[in-house]
Amino acid sequence: MTAATGQPARSVLACGEVRTCLLPSFQALDARAAAQLLRLRADVHVRVSERPSMYVLSPEVLTGVDCRLPAANGSKVRGVGTVAARAALTEGRLLQSTAYFSLPAAGPDIRRPWGQYLVRPGLVEPFGKLPQQATAEGVLRGAGRGELDLGMISEGLLAQLRRHALLDRRVPFKSSPTRLRWAARRIPAGERASLANFTVAEGGLRTVELLLPEDVPASAAAGLCEDLALHDWLLTTVQHMLDNNRIGAIDGPSVVEALHPVVVHLLHLWMPRAHVDPALGHLWDVLEEKPGFSRQWENLSRRIRDRLALQAVAVPHQALSTR
């Protein structure tokens, strides 16, 4: 609430970080087991959707924070409040965790009792005026020492889930996790959301900058970024599997062995926008134009199917030549 009016503080910035990885389980989880895995709170139901793909979303859990906000210009602005975190599982196979929060343009100069922060989940108040641009850039850059670290919160939830007794901690193939950091500046309600920037950096890091209308909740932006992160992970992982296995250079049964995990576990997962808020679904259009996510995926899928088709044709010829 604002100090002057007692009304809820209006956010001007929302930020988050998504971690995406392969679930450490040799077999994909069914809907019931997935709901059990993501039951982070006893008082709130896990959301399970089976159309058009199985998607399970946990309730949100809160982490209280009282520390400096990330700032690219070195500003030392203290923030107090709660960060919301949640997890999602797609087709019982791909696990994601997200931590996010919103910020108002300014906050009080004194610390409130914790109860007042807890009734506004996912809101962090700055002490005094918020340096909006510097904070957004700081979140995208990554937290410095002593600053609010969304990655640590997101990774902590992911680590908790990966230790769950349901999981055998075996994976059907090797892969690397990715991180996606996002910052969304607020624009007037009724205006159209836009994707200002999407970057791919080294070490599995991606960053997204959004313009988000005031009447679209931060949770919707988190959902969009989870969807982007999931499909980016698919593209990255399949491309690395093809490159590392030298698909163009190997032949015979080795081809089938190398491509088997992709065909069985990943090819059917490509469904952009399937679980994105309708108010933000159009932002996928930007990524379809450049860099062309779905065109890249179709290219990879065609390459895999063509290679398997060539191998299927080659097998009868090899059998005839041995007679």
Side-chain angles (χ1 to χ4, degrees), residues 33-116:
Q36 186 178 345
L37 173 71
L38 298 189
R39 193 167 183 250
L40 302 182
R41 293 172 52 179
D43 60 330
V44 182
H45 288 298
V46 175
R47 289 171 50 194
V48 179
S49 172
E50 296 188 355
R51 300 288 186 276
S53 60
M54 192 182 81
Y55 176 74
V56 183
L57 183 65
S58 79
E60 292 182 346
V61 291
L62 300 179
T63 299
V65 296
D66 182 350
C67 56
R68 284 192 292 113
L69 297 171
N73 64 357
S75 300
K76 295 184 178 180
V77 176
R78 179 181 169 193
V80 184
T82 59
V83 172
R86 68 188 193 188
L89 188 65
T90 301
E91 284 292 322
R93 180 57 72 193
L94 293 188
L95 179 63
Q96 295 181 287
S97 64
T98 302
Y100 69 95
F101 66 98
S102 295
L103 285 156
D109 294 326
I110 59 171
R111 194 179 183 283
R112 306 179 191 275
W114 264 118
Q116 294 187 29

Side-chain angles (χ1 to χ4, degrees), residues 11 14 100 102 182 184 186 212-223 277 279-280:
S11 73
Y100 69 95
S102 295
W182 58 271
R186 291 294 190 171
L212 189 69
E214 292 172 347
D215 54 347
V216 176
S219 59
D277 189 297
L280 301 179

Side-chain angles (χ1 to χ4, degrees), residues 2-323:
T2 61
T5 67
Q7 297 299 313
R10 187 174 65 182
S11 73
V12 296
L13 186 65
C15 307
E17 182 161 339
V18 186
R19 300 291 174 104
T20 305
C21 70
L22 187 67
L23 186 74
S25 173
F26 194 76
Q27 299 293 333
L29 299 188
D30 60 21
R32 183 175 179 180
Q36 186 178 345
L37 173 71
L38 298 189
R39 193 167 183 250
L40 302 182
R41 293 172 52 179
D43 60 330
V44 182
H45 288 298
V46 175
R47 289 171 50 194
V48 179
S49 172
E50 296 188 355
R51 300 288 186 276
S53 60
M54 192 182 81
Y55 176 74
V56 183
L57 183 65
S58 79
E60 292 182 346
V61 291
L62 300 179
T63 299
V65 296
D66 182 350
C67 56
R68 284 192 292 113
L69 297 171
N73 64 357
S75 300
K76 295 184 178 180
V77 176
R78 179 181 169 193
V80 184
T82 59
V83 172
R86 68 188 193 188
L89 188 65
T90 301
E91 284 292 322
R93 180 57 72 193
L94 293 188
L95 179 63
Q96 295 181 287
S97 64
T98 302
Y100 69 95
F101 66 98
S102 295
L103 285 156
D109 294 326
I110 59 171
R111 194 179 183 283
R112 306 179 191 275
W114 264 118
Q116 294 187 29
Y117 296 108
L118 292 175
V119 298
R120 293 166 295 155
L123 184 72
V124 174
E125 285 187 338
F127 273 39
K129 187 177 180 181
L130 175 72
Q132 295 181 38
Q133 180 68 24
T135 302
E137 292 176 0
V139 168
L140 297 177
R141 174 207 64 190
R145 186 174 181 180
E147 294 178 341
L148 174 53
D149 192 340
L150 288 172
M152 183 180 295
I153 296 172
S154 182
E155 184 62 32
L157 176 56
L158 198 65
Q160 172 190 329
L161 293 170
R162 293 170 75 175
R163 293 193 300 267
H164 199 284
L166 277 172
L167 308 179
D168 57 21
R169 284 174 278 284
R170 298 166 59 211
V171 291
F173 57 90
K174 292 182 179 179
S175 64
S176 299
T178 58
R179 300 167 291 152
L180 185 147
R181 295 177 186 145
W182 58 271
R185 294 191 192 91
R186 291 294 190 171
I187 56 178
E191 290 193 11
R192 192 171 170 85
S194 62
L195 194 157
N197 198 22
F198 174 83
T199 63
V200 177
E202 295 181 353
L205 174 64
R206 286 82 174 99
T207 61
V208 173
E209 296 177 67
L210 302 168
L211 296 179
L212 189 69
E214 292 172 347
D215 54 347
V216 176
S219 59
L224 169 72
C225 291
E226 288 162 353
D227 197 53
L228 299 183
L230 183 143
H231 289 86
D232 174 79
W233 185 94
L234 286 170
L235 271 175
T236 303
T237 300
V238 172
Q239 184 66 67
H240 285 176
M241 290 173 75
L242 296 184
D243 293 344
N244 293 342
N245 286 300
R246 300 181 300 115
I247 295 302
I250 60 177
D251 209 346
S254 297
V255 173
V256 178
E257 182 181 351
L259 294 178
H260 181 267
V262 180
V263 175
V264 171
H265 301 292
L266 301 181
L267 282 189
H268 63 291
L269 298 183
W270 190 265
M271 289 190 186
R273 306 180 232 225
H275 304 286
V276 173
D277 189 297
L280 301 179
H282 67 277
L283 298 184
W284 256 101
D285 295 339
V286 179
L287 296 173
E288 297 295 25
E289 292 175 11
K290 186 179 180 181
F293 267 39
S294 289
R295 290 197 304 274
Q296 293 178 44
W297 183 257
E298 289 163 9
N299 238 4
L300 291 174
S301 301
R302 192 178 304 114
R303 182 181 170 193
I304 291 165
R305 293 189 176 102
D306 289 349
R307 196 70 181 88
L308 289 173
L310 284 173
Q311 177 58 27
V313 170
V315 169
H317 287 288
Q318 291 170 3
L320 287 172
S321 66
T322 61
R323 291 180 183 177

